[in-house]
Structures are given as structure tokens and as C-alpha cells.
Amino acid sequence: MSRTVREIERKYEAAPGGAPLDLAALSALAELPGVASVVDDGVTALDATYYDTADQRLAADGVTLRRRTGGSDEGWHLKLPVRPKGAPRTSGGGDVVRDEIRAPLGDAVPPELAALTRSRTLDAPLRPLVELRTRRTVWRLVDAAGEPLAEISADEVSARRAGSAGAPVRWSEVEAELGAGGDPALLDAVERHLATLGLRPAGSTSKLARALAETAAPHVESVPATEARREERRAAHGDGDDTRKKPKESKKPKKQKKPAPPKKARRREGADALLGGGDPNAELTAGDVVLDAVRRQIAAIVALDPAARREVPDAVHRMRVATRRLRSVLRSYRKVLDRAAADPVGAELKWLAGELGVDRDREVLAERLTAGLDAVPDEQRLGPVRARLTIWAQAEHADARQRLIAALDGPRYLDLLTTLDALRADPPQTREGTPPLLRPAAAKPPRKVVRAAVLAETDRLARRLDAALALPPGPERDGALHAARKAAKRARYAAEAAELGLGKGARELAGRLQRVQQVLGDHQDSVRARETLRDIAVRAHAAGESTFTLGLLYGREEAAAAARERELPEVWAAVLDPPPRRLL
């Protein structure tokens, strides 16, 4: 049985040529606000073996898997970053926030931990990578009640590649880890004190990352996958990318390009980080913009997979949204992406979104119906309505959960992950016999190609809205508004994907479209709520129970839907003022 611990820590090291850390000086940490005393927990010997694939897929994503003996938490530890890689760090220091999933000590990688790495390893074998030995001296900062606020560890580390007979590399570092009841501001105070002792934030966020860097050998591939893609892209520029226009030969020397304006340069640097390198001052193409969106959503799916398996709140929903965003981009930018390559991927993404939604839709609807019942006065709650809602909400939950895990563990999902991983390469790879993903239009400037795709999706939404609002209230109109909702999502996702190439106009349009999507989404939720309330009322009536409250809830949902329909024209008018063509 595994358990999860949230870990918030910072690492420090002495400046080159600095004096060794004066351990006795750490006792002054007791003078920090809120700290009553510093408890010396003595010295512990820790032996850890880190596991990864041959090409270090886990390390490339900031994930660590280790088997450790010694200390109070010996066993298998899988550490997953909580924030996306590259997100801003909190407070004034370099907080590293991770979820550490712990499993009992054993010889083999626990299956439950291996499953949590699958979206990154693609079932490649996990093998020993690095061996670390640490002599750790620990102090606990506690409050007046003896509750731990933070833990300070001074580590003397030796590391070597697994199976290597060479001399290990050695270094010293200090970790400051926030306790369960600690205030994050305490780490700032600890950092200021450590600075007076000659320590500075460490250049590496983990022991494994430092060990990999300092023990790299020619026979071991030490470059993370993302960096390897950068090198491939640099090598391929000019002769391996048929989606870019090659410069015509000219006798006249080319003029030196002026540096890009700050905002544009920042956008290009962001694209460079995601697309794998290249000149940040080179003009972006439509292909760059679309591939940026594709790769961001693939990264989100991969990162959210472990959280969805662990039932982290909202993880399944966010993974489903990332899946839908990716599918929308593949469908919206068909002038950039070849349909023969993109459509099969879109079909599999639709399947995955369906598997993720089996239980999620019921969960969302249950929250809506429960909130509606909570708003009903006590004197109007007749019969066991809450019990009926609970029975409905819990029905098939376990089966739906098992179905989702079976899908994530199955060969179809693994095949999809493998396909998505290939699309992240530069240039993106497709299956044998399938055309390359990018069409010739991918080499054109985004202002023309990407803008046209966003406007086409907005026009499509307009047609669906006009058709829906022209219908009289009733089931047919409900269905048409639901179709318009799907079009609103697709238009919004297309606009969000275009921001890298079109700037703030695309961002503003996406925000307007999101409001339309929200109104249509609330309307559709009301339609589904009424259908569910009617089904529950039929069963309650058959059991001889009062259906008064269920009818009351039905009426309120009907009124809510009517209000959304009245609101919709005004919200849509806001999208058109000024017209999207002027925004972009």
C-alpha cells in the first residue's frame, strides 16, 4: 500500500572556495519567528538507487524513482513535480514542490509506482541508473507545542553510476524542507540565515540531477530527451525540415536582422523552449505556432496521467480538457496539419476523452444537484431526496473507476502515448505509410494561416448559434445549443493556440469565447440535470415516495436554462464588438 507526502523544499550549497558549514551556527535558527527550539536528530546513513529508462525519460521531466534504505522512511519513493516544469517558483527562494509517493521496501519496482511512470516511460524497462550514499545530519525546527515546522538537513553525498567501478563524485549540500504545519514564509527566514553562513541556492534542484551531470560518461546517454530534440533540430536546420522555405540564392549580402521588440522576443523565446531550440530572433511560422500548442497539450496529458490514476481532485477533468484541446487543435488547423496524419490521432483522443468522462460527467452533475438541493428550504424538502441523489451519484462509480484504470493500463492508450511522443519530436514523426504531419502552409507566417483558422472557427460558431436561436424552445433547440457549445470550445481552443503567433488579440478573443462557452455549458448542464431528476423521480414515485422536491428542483433548472438562453444574445454580441477580424 502506497501513501503520498507533499514535499516543499529548497537546496543550498557553499559558494566555490567558501568555508565549510558551521553546523553549530544552525542552533541560531531557534531565534526565527514562531520557532521555539531546534531539535538535533543526529546522523543517519542513507543508501539510494535511482531508476530510469535507458534514455532517462523520468529525469527529463523532473521525476525521480528510487529505492532507499536507512532513515525512518526507507522504501520505494516516486517524486512527481506538482507544478509544470519551468513554472515560477513561490516566495523569494527556489521552492521545489513535489508529491512523494512511498511504497514498502522490496527488490523490484512496485507495480503501483511503475504504473504512475507509464505516461513517460511508455513501458520501457526501468533499470538502476545512479547510486547515492548520503551521511545526513538533521535538525527539526519545532513550535512551542513540539510540532515540526521545518527540517534542516546537512548532507554529505557520494554518487556513482550504477554498476560503475570508478571513483564516486562527492559534494555537500543543505536542504530546508517545510513541515506539515509550517508557514511557507519560514523558508524565506531560514534562507536569510543560511546566507549569513555562506550558503547560496544550489545550482541543481535534486541530487539525481547533480549526480547525472557530474557522472556523465560517453557510454551512458546523459542528455535528457528534450535537450536531445534541441540538438536534432539544430542539426536539421536548413537541410532536414521541408516545411520551411529555403532562402533563394542572392549575390547581394543579406542585411542583418534587427533585434525583435521585447514582447515579441519573449514570445519567441517561449516558443524556442517548447519547440526545441533555434534562433529566438527567427520569424515564427504557422507550423511553429501550431506545434507549440500541440506539444503543450501533449505535455499536459503526460503530466496529468499519474494524478488521474491517484484520483487527485480535478486531475481527471484537467486531463480530459487537455485531451479535448489537443483534438481541437488537430481539427482546426487543417491547413497546417495533414488530415491523413492528424485525423487518426484525433479519433484516438476522442476515445480517451470518452474514457476520462465516464465518471467525471456524473461527478459534475452530482455536485450541481446537491448544491440545488442545499438551496431548498427545509420545509420544502419532502421525502428522502438527498438519499436518492447519493444513491444515484455513487451508482457505478467503482465500475467507472475500474474502467478508467483498465483503459490507462491497456495497449490502446499506450499506443496513443507512443504516437503523441513521436509528434513531440522535431520534426514531428508519424507512422510508417502516413504523410508527414506538417503541410506546406506550415512554412507560411502565422498572421495569414493561423488567423484564417481562428476566424473560420468563429464563423462556424456564429452559424450554429444563429441556427439554434432561430428554433423555438424545446428539445430540438437544446440539442442545437449543445452543438453550438462544442463549436464555442473549438473556437476558443483555436484562439488560445494562436496567441503565440497573433498576440494579445487572440488572447482577448479566447476570453470572450470562453464566456460564450460558459453560458452554453451551464445551459447544457441544466438539460442533463432535468433528465436525471426525471429519472430519479420515476424511481421515487415507484417506491411510493414524495416527488415534490424533485419537481421543484426540475422547475428551477428549467428556469435556469431559460435565463441562459435570454443571456446568450448579449454575450455573443460582446464577442462581435469589435469584430474578431479587427482583433486579430
Side-chain angles (χ1 to χ4, degrees):
M1 178 65 71
S2 62
R3 68 188 185 95
T4 301
V5 177
R6 176 61 55 86
E7 179 184 82
I8 303 175
E9 67 178 22
R10 300 181 188 178
K11 288 182 180 291
Y12 302 91
E13 61 188 5
L21 175 64
D22 180 6
L23 299 182
L26 292 175
S27 61
L29 291 170
E31 301 174 5
L32 298 181
V35 178
S37 62
V38 177
V39 180
D40 187 342
D41 280 347
V43 179
T44 303
L46 306 173
D47 284 356
T49 301
Y50 288 79
Y51 286 69
D52 206 336
T53 61
D55 56 355
Q56 299 175 21
R57 286 176 169 269
L58 298 184
D61 266 2
V63 176
T64 61
L65 173 64
R66 73 186 179 198
R67 181 187 185 274
R68 190 170 78 179
T69 59
S72 60
D73 62 345
E74 69 175 10
W76 285 90
H77 304 156
L78 174 66
K79 296 190 178 187
L80 300 168
V82 173
R83 290 192 302 269
K85 195 174 181 181
R89 290 173 172 178
T90 60
S91 304
D95 291 357
V96 176
V97 186
R98 296 179 290 193
D99 276 346
E100 182 176 278
I101 300 93
R102 300 174 179 174
L105 193 63
D107 292 334
V109 177
E112 62 268 31
L113 299 191
L116 296 178
T117 69
R118 194 181 193 222
S119 65
R120 293 175 167 94
T121 66
L122 306 179
D123 272 0
L126 291 164
R127 66 182 192 181
L129 179 64
V130 170
E131 296 171 349
L132 262 67
R133 290 189 175 183
T134 303
R135 185 178 184 274
R136 169 167 289 180
T137 307
V138 179
W139 296 265
R140 281 182 295 119
L141 310 186
V142 300
D143 62 15
E147 293 298 320
L149 301 175
E151 183 177 282
I152 312 299
S153 304
D155 293 342
E156 298 174 10
V157 186
S158 68
R160 71 172 79 218
R161 292 288 173 136
S164 171
V169 297
R170 302 180 186 277
W171 72 86
S172 298
E173 65 181 38
V174 173
E175 289 184 4
E177 182 174 346
L178 193 67
D183 182 345
L186 177 60
L187 291 184
D188 292 335
V190 169
E191 181 165 307
R192 288 191 291 270
H193 179 74
L194 294 179
T196 66
L197 303 180
L199 296 180
R200 64 180 185 179
S204 178
T205 58
S206 73
K207 289 182 174 64
L208 175 61
R210 181 164 182 173
L212 289 174
E214 297 193 15
T215 64
H219 68 282
V220 179
E221 183 182 351
S222 60
V223 182
T226 50
E227 182 61 26
R229 293 190 185 108
R230 288 176 183 243
E231 296 299 329
E232 291 171 4
R233 185 175 193 260
R234 294 187 186 109
H237 268 201
D239 59 6
D241 189 346
D242 60 3
T243 66
R244 297 175 182 270
K245 288 184 177 180
K246 295 183 179 180
K248 296 180 179 179
E249 294 184 1
S250 174
K251 295 181 180 179
K252 295 181 180 180
K254 287 187 177 181
K255 292 182 179 180
Q256 188 69 26
K257 288 186 178 181
K258 295 180 180 180
K263 288 185 178 179
K264 194 170 185 180
R266 283 197 296 270
R267 292 203 303 272
R268 288 171 181 165
E269 288 167 3
D272 177 62
L274 289 163
L275 298 176
D279 180 5
N281 285 322
E283 288 296 336
L284 289 174
T285 65
D288 290 333
V289 173
V290 175
L291 286 179
D292 165 46
V294 166
R295 287 166 175 155
R296 279 189 286 114
Q297 298 314 316
I298 293 175
I301 292 170
V302 169
L304 286 166
D305 173 289
R309 292 173 182 269
R310 293 160 48 214
E311 291 192 270
V312 173
D314 207 37
V316 171
H317 170 63
R318 289 187 292 137
M319 185 175 175
R320 187 187 188 192
V321 169
T323 302
R324 285 175 163 176
R325 285 178 189 270
L326 178 55
R327 180 169 177 252
S328 290
V329 171
L330 295 179
R331 297 171 71 192
S332 296
Y333 290 98
R334 291 183 171 178
K335 292 288 183 65
V336 176
L337 305 175
D338 193 292
R339 292 186 61 178
D343 285 358
V345 182
E348 291 304 285
L349 290 169
K350 182 179 181 180
W351 162 78
L352 177 59
E355 294 297 321
L356 292 167
V358 169
D359 198 41
R360 173 62 185 175
D361 289 341
R362 180 182 291 270
E363 178 186 355
V364 170
L365 189 51
E367 292 173 356
R368 182 183 182 99
L369 294 176
T370 300
L373 181 60
D374 290 342
V376 174
D378 291 342
E379 64 273 13
Q380 295 180 8
R381 297 181 195 171
L382 304 182
V385 181
R386 191 173 298 277
R388 279 284 175 189
L389 290 180
T390 301
I391 292 171
W392 171 83
Q394 294 178 347
E396 302 177 5
H397 170 72
D399 289 343
R401 181 69 191 166
Q402 290 177 1
R403 173 177 167 176
L404 174 58
I405 296 302
L408 297 181
D409 287 340
R412 185 173 182 178
Y413 178 57
L414 179 61
D415 192 48
L416 173 58
L417 287 174
T418 303
T419 299
L420 297 181
D421 185 68
L423 293 184
R424 297 173 75 179
D426 190 11
Q429 305 298 311
T430 55
R431 292 182 181 276
E432 186 176 351
T434 303
L437 183 65
L438 297 179
R439 299 182 65 191
K444 296 180 179 180
R447 175 62 57 183
K448 180 178 180 180
V449 180
V450 175
R451 179 177 181 272
V454 175
L455 293 176
E457 293 296 349
T458 307
D459 291 344
R460 181 169 172 269
L461 169 59
R463 292 192 298 272
R464 291 201 176 184
L465 276 176
D466 289 343
L469 294 175
L471 296 170
E476 187 179 358
R477 186 186 219 192
D478 292 341
L481 288 172
H482 183 43
R485 178 198 183 192
K486 294 179 181 179
K489 281 186 180 181
R490 188 162 153 178
R492 172 194 166 191
Y493 295 158
E496 288 175 342
E499 183 180 347
L500 181 65
L502 303 183
K504 64 181 181 180
R507 181 170 65 251
E508 182 176 342
L509 177 59
R512 296 181 186 184
L513 292 169
Q514 182 178 16
R515 178 58 182 151
V516 175
Q517 177 191 331
Q518 289 171 340
V519 172
L520 290 169
D522 192 62
H523 181 275
Q524 176 61 17
D525 288 347
S526 176
V527 171
R528 294 177 57 248
R530 280 177 279 155
E531 293 171 350
T532 301
L533 287 168
R534 186 184 183 283
D535 291 342
I536 295 175
V538 168
R539 288 192 286 271
H541 177 74
E545 299 167 4
S546 172
T547 59
F548 171 83
T549 305
L550 292 168
L552 180 63
L553 291 174
Y554 187 100
R556 290 187 175 188
E557 288 291 354
E558 201 168 38
R564 297 291 82 77
E565 290 181 26
R566 291 192 300 271
E567 182 183 4
L568 186 57
E570 181 179 348
V571 174
W572 177 238
V575 174
L576 303 178
D577 184 22
R581 282 170 171 77
R582 286 178 54 191
L583 277 178
L584 303 178

